[in-house]
Amino acid sequence: MQLPAGVGWTALMTAYARAQEHALFDDPWARAAVDRAGDAARLPDGRESGMWAALGTYFVTRSLFYDRQVRAAVDDGVDQVVLLAAGFDGRAQRLGLPEAVTVYEVDTAEVLAFKDAAVADAPAPTARRVTVRVDLREDWTPALTAAGLDPRRPTVFLAEGLLMYLDEQQSDRLLDAVTGLAAPGSRFVTEWFERNPAGEPSLVSWPDERDNRTGAAVGALFRSGPPLPPAAWLAAHGWDVAAIDDVGTHAATVGRETPWMFDPAHPDGLRVHLVAGVRAR
Ligand SMILES: C[S@@+](CC[C@H](N)C(=O)[O-])C[C@H]1O[C@@H](n2cnc3c(N)ncnc32)[C@H](O)[C@@H]1O
């Protein structure tokens, strides 16, 4: 089984953080993906690497923001969950969703083939799990509806760890496509960096050169993300803001120290927007 490369590899990086987490949640699918990847997914841990400690806090705590939005939507009767750029997301299993809920995992064929093999012996999903293999820069919505998504019923769409790999036009096209599938009451939850941090101290000025190599490799994949700040961007596409935060503030509210890397008040800190929108009924 081929290991995902490039931006696909970044899904192993976020899975690695979730696999190490035990206090905020348990993620057997992340562990299964990391175990299957072996040395390719083995990253320094937070005790050895300042950069990894900061990234690990980001990846783990942001997941709680998305989890809350999914739970709130399902509590409101939404039974379609779409994970755009799903990677090794384990929500179909980890959240204990009812079996009446369908979780659509949308990602590249390479990533989803690796995931299917990795989770084959892991705990089974509680929700119905459907995989959709597409390139999200292309016209992907027909594949999602062909897989069963009903655009007449509300859906919660997650784009976790995706928009930083898209440019302004690609981000707009993605949200246009989501909007076209979003019945009233649908939600869209996502995050992105206020500026592209490629080459900045937060990615390439750590004491350990291994961190700087990882930071340079990740930075090389970054694009601009959406063209507007979160509330304006959602409004421009016909969405109301249901929740808005940033990674540093959110980390503190879930009991983790805000790393300087995600503290916008620090001279080299980054603001990473976390936002949830809702389509008016
Ligand atoms: C950082 S990972 C995030 C994975 C998961 N959402 C998480 O938070 O762990 C980025 C994911 O985006 C997917 N991705 C990036 N660009 C994509 C594209 N154009 N089409 C489909 N998937 C894409 C990658 O394959 C990868 O799984």
Side-chain angles (χ1 to χ4, degrees):
M1 177 61 54
Q2 200 174 345
L3 266 174
V7 79
W9 176 82
T10 65
L12 279 175
M13 189 172 70
T14 52
Y16 184 78
R18 294 196 303 273
Q20 290 184 317
E21 178 62 34
H22 300 291
L24 296 177
F25 52 73
D26 183 55
D27 193 342
W29 286 17
R31 282 199 296 279
V34 166
D35 287 348
R36 192 168 182 93
D39 284 344
R42 208 147 286 137
L43 292 156
D45 73 21
R47 285 162 305 188
E48 310 166 357
S49 154
M51 185 174 78
W52 182 253
L55 289 176
T57 297
Y58 164 34
F59 298 146
V60 164
T61 59
R62 79 174 181 197
S63 284
L64 294 182
F65 181 85
Y66 290 87
D67 287 355
R68 283 180 189 158
Q69 297 300 326
V70 174
R71 289 188 202 279
V74 170
D75 286 349
D76 280 353
V78 173
D79 64 359
Q80 306 185 108
V81 180
V82 174
L83 306 175
L84 299 165
F88 304 113
D89 185 316
R91 290 190 174 88
Q93 183 276 331
R94 182 168 68 74
L95 295 186
L97 297 171
E99 59 187 351
V101 171
T102 302
V103 177
Y104 296 91
E105 297 185 355
V106 183
D107 208 300
T108 62
E110 186 187 35
V111 165
L112 290 171
F114 187 87
K115 182 176 189 175
D116 280 348
V119 304
D121 297 324
T126 59
R128 195 167 78 93
R129 174 179 179 244
V130 175
T131 57
V132 183
R133 294 153 199 244
V134 294
D135 185 332
L136 285 164
R137 292 167 299 189
E138 294 171 1
D139 183 16
W140 50 272
T141 58
L144 184 54
T145 49
L149 184 96
D150 181 355
R152 294 164 304 182
R153 301 210 321 278
T155 300
V156 53
F157 296 89
L158 270 54
E160 181 179 14
L162 173 64
L163 293 182
M164 61 289 278
Y165 304 111
L166 304 183
D167 64 23
E168 293 185 357
Q169 286 181 337
Q170 290 165 343
S171 302
D172 272 337
R173 272 207 305 275
L174 184 95
L175 187 48
D176 280 341
V178 167
T179 306
L181 294 173
S186 293
R187 300 165 195 231
F188 175 63
V189 194
T190 192
E191 106 258 21
W192 73 91
F193 285 68
E194 189 166 272
R195 63 175 189 275
N196 181 344
E200 291 194 7
S202 55
L203 290 185
V204 297
S205 298
W206 292 90
D208 186 332
E209 271 314 307
R210 287 174 307 175
D211 283 350
N212 296 331
R213 280 199 296 277
T214 305
V218 171
L221 299 168
F222 270 80
R223 301 291 176 265
S224 60
L228 294 169
W233 191 53
L234 289 187
H237 289 264
W239 294 75
D240 299 329
V241 171
I244 196 160
D245 210 339
D246 69 74
V247 162
T249 310
H250 178 67
T253 61
V254 299
R256 294 286 158 96
E257 196 176 324
T258 301
W260 69 258
M261 186 174 175
F262 296 106
D263 178 0
H266 186 282
D268 294 319
L270 303 167
R271 187 186 302 279
V272 183
H273 303 295
L274 288 165
V275 64
V278 65
R279 286 287 277 173
R281 288 177 193 274

